[in-house]
Amino acid sequence: MALDWISPADRVQALPPYVFARLDELKARAREQGLDLIDLGMGNPDGATPQPVIDAAARALQDPANHGYPPFEGTGNFRRAIAVWYERRYGVQLDSEGEALPLLGSKEGLTHLALAYLNPGDLVLVPNPAYPAHFRGPLIAGARVHSLMLSAANNWTIDLGAIPDEVAREAKVMYFNYPNNPTGATAPREFFEEVVAFARRHEILLVHDLCYAELAFDGYQPTSLLEIEGAKDIGVEFHTLSKTYNMAGWRVGFVVGNRHVIQGLRTLKTNLDYGIFAALQSAAETALQLPETYLENVQKRYSNRRDFLIAGLEKLGWKIPKPLATMYLWVPCPPGMGSTDFALTVLQNTGVVVTPGNAFGEGGEGFVRISLIAEIDRLQTALDRLENAGIRFE
Ligand SMILES: *Cc1c(COP(=O)(O)O)cnc(C)c1O
């Protein structure tokens, strides 16, 4: 029976359709037909959470002190572990009382920050393409999104000079993310300096998503926003354990930076949730304390896959620049083919799942994103199937 007497709120109905939805249906149908899917569509790391983290969680589970509501602001131990980690990584001191807040994954915080800081009609600057929460959060808040169009010609970095003065004056918040999902682009430190100067000049809250802080290769070290002088006055930065530590299902992230902004987010969240299960916060401390060798192995795993897939795609006609970070390849569709068409063609003919670039905004049209989330032998099978299906870049 159709519910004709009630419908979802405008803020839900106004959301652009999820391109993933049609892909999901087709995936389900392909599975029913017994097709062996190689799913390189999601940003969902394959493999287990590191054993020391699992062990720490198992121990913490046994402690009844962890079984009640956790403190709203996260456990002191986890917040202190965040501050220690941050200083070790970036040489920046944080006050664990107020400048670091644990989150139920960074997606939750990125979206709720929009609700905490944006009134209906407020103007937000968001790159396009972008990670969906960066524009969907503001849309849910009723804000107006001004897209900062990215392009291959500009190495997928934001062209601050292209932002009209009246837009910069009106904008209240700007989201950005380097190393970048979905394009794999990185931004030089000078860009971070420019963006901080821009935000200070126009009094814009900077929201940086440093999800791929540690998935960087070939000696490249991503910049953290808070390394830039003055950034803490106008910015916050989101981090997650999901990608680096294969903990996507655990839902642990955190935000660091300006204490007033963090307090605003915390005030909203106090009304919505109780934060992360304390046992998991205890395990998360262990993750942040894992030795460098763990990170080196993760980095090696992804960079090997990157190199392998780029070499294989080259034999099929693609010339793809090597991303210095993230777990993605950003791959142009064959000329004359749109993102959705190409992703569906690949799925139907090979069982390989890739994400159409337009899922990240119209600025991603003409590209697909391939996640490096399968072992080399599976990537080889995916390449073989592309070749046998005659799918090439030409
Ligand atoms: C994966 C991803 C996230 C989500 O992280 P969670 O902490 O699991 O919510 C946030 N931002 C970007 C850019 C991502 O790719």
Side-chain angles (χ1 to χ4, degrees):
M1 194 181 67
L3 282 182
D4 51 10
W5 53 274
I6 194 166
S7 47
D10 294 345
R11 76 179 68 87
V12 173
Q13 300 213 52
L15 291 171
Y18 232 68
V19 178
F20 290 99
R22 185 154 171 235
L23 204 62
D24 265 6
E25 267 169 47
L26 287 158
K27 265 162 59 175
R29 204 171 315 146
R31 274 207 190 88
E32 278 165 25
Q33 290 166 356
L35 203 65
D36 167 38
L37 291 189
I38 303 178
D39 195 344
L40 308 178
M42 299 271 293
N44 193 4
D46 58 313
T49 300
Q51 195 58 45
V53 179
I54 296 174
D55 292 342
R59 278 194 305 276
L61 270 180
Q62 299 294 343
D63 182 355
N66 287 329
H67 295 174
Y69 289 116
F72 282 118
E73 68 279 12
T75 66
N77 283 343
F78 183 36
R79 276 184 283 111
R80 281 186 288 277
I82 292 168
V84 168
W85 174 85
Y86 197 81
E87 181 165 16
R88 171 158 56 87
R89 272 263 162 283
Y90 299 106
V92 177
Q93 286 187 354
L94 295 172
D95 179 0
S96 66
E97 304 285 333
E99 292 183 334
L101 180 69
L103 299 167
L104 294 158
S106 57
K107 182 181 184 182
E108 175 261 298
L110 286 159
T111 306
H112 282 144
L113 186 81
L115 285 179
Y117 279 90
L118 292 168
N119 287 315
D122 281 347
L123 191 64
V124 192
L125 306 178
V126 186
N128 190 334
Y131 178 67
H134 298 173
F135 56 88
R136 287 174 182 269
L139 289 178
I140 291 168
R144 287 174 297 138
V145 171
H146 178 89
S147 288
L148 307 174
M149 300 310 292
L150 308 182
S151 68
N154 205 27
N155 294 321
W156 307 100
T157 47
I158 298 165
D159 181 0
L160 294 171
I163 302 173
D165 265 349
E166 64 275 16
V167 170
R169 263 198 301 275
E170 199 187 342
K172 188 171 176 187
V173 175
M174 173 173 163
Y175 280 80
F176 71 119
N177 152 239
Y178 291 103
N180 185 256
N181 175 14
T183 66
T186 51
R189 191 183 170 90
E190 298 76 63
F191 170 78
F192 281 80
E193 284 164 0
E194 284 164 24
V195 85
V196 167
F198 172 83
R200 291 179 69 100
R201 190 159 63 243
H202 297 290
E203 299 186 326
I204 295 171
L205 166 60
L206 280 183
V207 180
H208 186 234
D209 184 352
L210 189 49
C211 184
Y212 299 99
E214 324 227 40
L215 300 188
F217 323 119
D218 309 338
Y220 173 68
Q221 168 65 52
T223 304
S224 164
L225 177 63
L226 303 183
E227 288 177 63
I228 308 300
E229 191 157 332
K232 222 195 252 178
D233 297 340
I234 42 91
V236 290
E237 186 168 78
F238 287 81
H239 292 258
T240 178
L241 276 63
S242 295
K243 310 292 165 52
T244 309
Y245 302 106
N246 285 357
M247 289 174 69
W250 297 57
R251 312 312 302 134
V252 183
F254 54 91
V255 58
V256 294
N258 186 277
R259 68 168 65 245
H260 303 289
V261 176
I262 288 177
Q263 180 58 44
L265 175 59
R266 191 189 143 191
T267 301
L268 175 74
K269 277 172 59 61
T270 305
N271 292 278
L272 295 174
D273 65 64
Y274 281 98
I276 310 161
F277 181 23
L280 300 192
Q281 296 191 58
S282 170
E285 290 165 41
T286 302
L288 294 182
Q289 289 155 2
L290 286 174
E292 286 298 308
T293 48
Y294 170 76
L295 291 180
E296 285 159 14
N297 288 335
V298 172
Q299 290 160 353
K300 192 128 212 71
R301 182 159 77 238
Y302 284 114
S303 63
N304 283 343
R305 292 172 179 181
R306 172 199 66 174
D307 295 347
F308 181 82
L309 204 54
I310 285 179
L313 288 171
E314 191 165 344
K315 288 189 199 123
L316 300 176
W318 270 279
K319 269 212 133 7
I320 299 160
K322 272 190 189 177
L324 284 176
T326 77
M327 45 194 270
Y328 307 110
L329 297 187
W330 187 235
V331 177
C333 304
M337 236 183 173
S339 293
T340 310
D341 272 357
F342 183 55
L344 292 181
T345 301
V346 170
L347 174 59
Q348 281 160 348
N349 292 288
T350 68
V352 177
V353 184
V354 301
T355 302
N358 56 8
F360 307 97
E362 68 271 25
E365 185 48 72
F367 287 79
V368 293
R369 189 192 71 179
I370 305 183
S371 300
L372 302 168
I373 52 171
E375 297 291 0
I376 298 280
D377 60 329
R378 289 295 274 172
L379 296 179
Q380 179 65 62
T381 307
L383 287 166
D384 292 343
R385 291 190 197 168
L386 289 173
E387 185 173 11
N388 293 338
I391 293 172
R392 304 178 51 86
F393 183 81
E394 54 190 10

